[in-house]
């Protein structure tokens, strides 16, 4: 199955980066063992906007939170088993990821935000209808304009994904960032400046999905 991963990272007053990539991997389930982190889940349940997220969007928020809560442990418990089960994903990108996660201290867990969820959903719908994977939105609005519409004034980032309808697998592929110069998706997910996240997940059928991740510093 081919998976597409795209990034546009916009940081006001700090420049911009854009990159994309595609990978082909075995079409089989990723098998892992995990006990739900109840404390982490509770932190999300206390956020009003979290309750409007779909099941896939909630799962995505959870996995991103688990990653940022303890990057080193996430690498051991999920990245290494994933690479063992999907050896075609092993290479310089995966090795750099494992090294980076071992060296990354715990980060602020991204809390769900309703305004970012709405922005992500609008973009997911647009990507599905237009079939043009771009960070430009309806009526040709740029990412900056879309974020301004969402009330984001300082800094924001966005990752786009199309592939297997599995939020954890999507997160891992964005982290590995195979074929993406500069590992921009990974940088967005591990950016210590970000504090909020919104998800737009659209089920395409046939076991695939479109996912939009939107991050902000406010």
């Amino acid at each position: 199955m081919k998976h597409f991963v795209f990034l546009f990272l916009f940081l006001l007053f700090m420049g911009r980066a854009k990159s994309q990539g595609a990978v082909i991997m075995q079409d089989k389930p990723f098998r892992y063992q995990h006990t739900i982190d109840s404390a982490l889940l509770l932190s999300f349940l206390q956020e009003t906007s979290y309750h409007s997220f779909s099941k896939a969007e909630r799962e995505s928020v959870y996995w991103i939170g688990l990653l940022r809560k303890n990057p080193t442990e996430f690498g051991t418990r999920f990245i290494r088993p994933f690479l063992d089960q999907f050896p075609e994903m092993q290479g310089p990108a995966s090795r750099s990821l494992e090294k980076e996660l071992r060296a990354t201290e715990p980060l602020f867990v991204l809390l769900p935000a309703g305004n970012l969820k709405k922005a992500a959903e609008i973009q997911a719908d647009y990507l599905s209808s237009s079939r043009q994977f771009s960070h430009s939105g309806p009526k040709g609005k740029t990412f900056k304009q879309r974020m301004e519409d969402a009330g984001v004034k300082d800094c924001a980032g966005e990752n786009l994904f199309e592939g297997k309808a599995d939020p954890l697998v999507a997160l891992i592929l964005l982290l590995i960032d195979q074929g993406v110069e500069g590992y921009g998706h990974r940088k967005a997910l591990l950016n210590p400046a970000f504090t909020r996240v919104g998800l737009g997940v659209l089920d395409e059928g046939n076991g695939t999905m479109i996912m939009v991740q939107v991050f902000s510093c406010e």
Side-chain angles (χ1 to χ4, degrees), residues 57-103:
E57 291 162 358
R58 291 184 186 186
E59 289 182 15
S60 298
V61 170
Y62 175 82
W63 290 122
I64 294 171
L66 199 68
L67 162 70
R68 291 177 63 99
K69 183 176 181 178
N70 193 328
T72 299
E73 185 176 0
F74 190 91
T76 301
R77 294 173 60 186
F78 300 103
I79 301 300
R80 177 37 47 190
F82 181 84
L83 294 172
D84 289 340
Q85 294 177 44
F86 298 91
E88 65 271 25
M89 295 305 301
Q90 296 180 21
S94 63
R95 288 193 292 271
S96 77
L97 172 61
E98 290 189 287
K99 180 178 179 180
E100 184 170 350
L101 292 179
R102 286 194 296 269

Side-chain angles (χ1 to χ4, degrees), residues 44-181:
F44 298 139
L45 288 170
Q46 293 173 338
E47 297 291 320
T48 302
S49 61
Y50 178 76
H51 299 277
S52 67
F53 280 44
S54 69
K55 181 178 182 293
E57 291 162 358
R58 291 184 186 186
E59 289 182 15
S60 298
V61 170
Y62 175 82
W63 290 122
I64 294 171
L66 199 68
L67 162 70
R68 291 177 63 99
K69 183 176 181 178
N70 193 328
T72 299
E73 185 176 0
F74 190 91
T76 301
R77 294 173 60 186
F78 300 103
I79 301 300
R80 177 37 47 190
F82 181 84
L83 294 172
D84 289 340
Q85 294 177 44
F86 298 91
E88 65 271 25
M89 295 305 301
Q90 296 180 21
S94 63
R95 288 193 292 271
S96 77
L97 172 61
E98 290 189 287
K99 180 178 179 180
E100 184 170 350
L101 292 179
R102 286 194 296 269
T104 302
E105 297 293 326
L107 300 163
F108 184 88
V109 172
L110 302 183
L111 297 176
N115 62 324
L116 301 184
K117 169 183 167 57
K118 182 177 180 180
E121 287 180 330
I122 291 172
Q123 189 65 6
D125 287 339
Y126 177 71
L127 296 179
S128 177
S129 61
S130 68
R131 301 311 303 171
Q132 295 181 3
F133 267 69
S134 164
H135 297 276
S136 295
K139 299 181 180 180
K141 287 190 176 183
T142 65
F143 178 71
K144 179 180 179 181
Q145 291 170 327
R146 290 172 46 224
M147 291 302 98
E148 289 174 345
D149 288 346
V152 177
K153 300 178 181 179
D154 293 327
C155 69
E158 180 174 83
N159 286 343
L160 310 180
F161 172 90
E162 181 179 30
K164 189 176 182 66
D166 183 323
L168 178 55
V169 170
L171 174 60
I172 291 173
L173 292 177
L174 288 165
L175 284 168
I176 294 175
D177 247 2
Q178 184 169 298
V180 177
E181 184 178 358

Side-chain angles (χ1 to χ4, degrees), residues 182-204:
Y183 306 129
H185 308 92
R186 184 192 308 174
K187 288 181 178 178
L189 287 160
L190 298 176
N191 189 330
F194 291 151
T195 60
R196 293 280 177 172
V197 64
L199 275 296
V201 177
L202 187 63
D203 188 343
E204 296 186 291

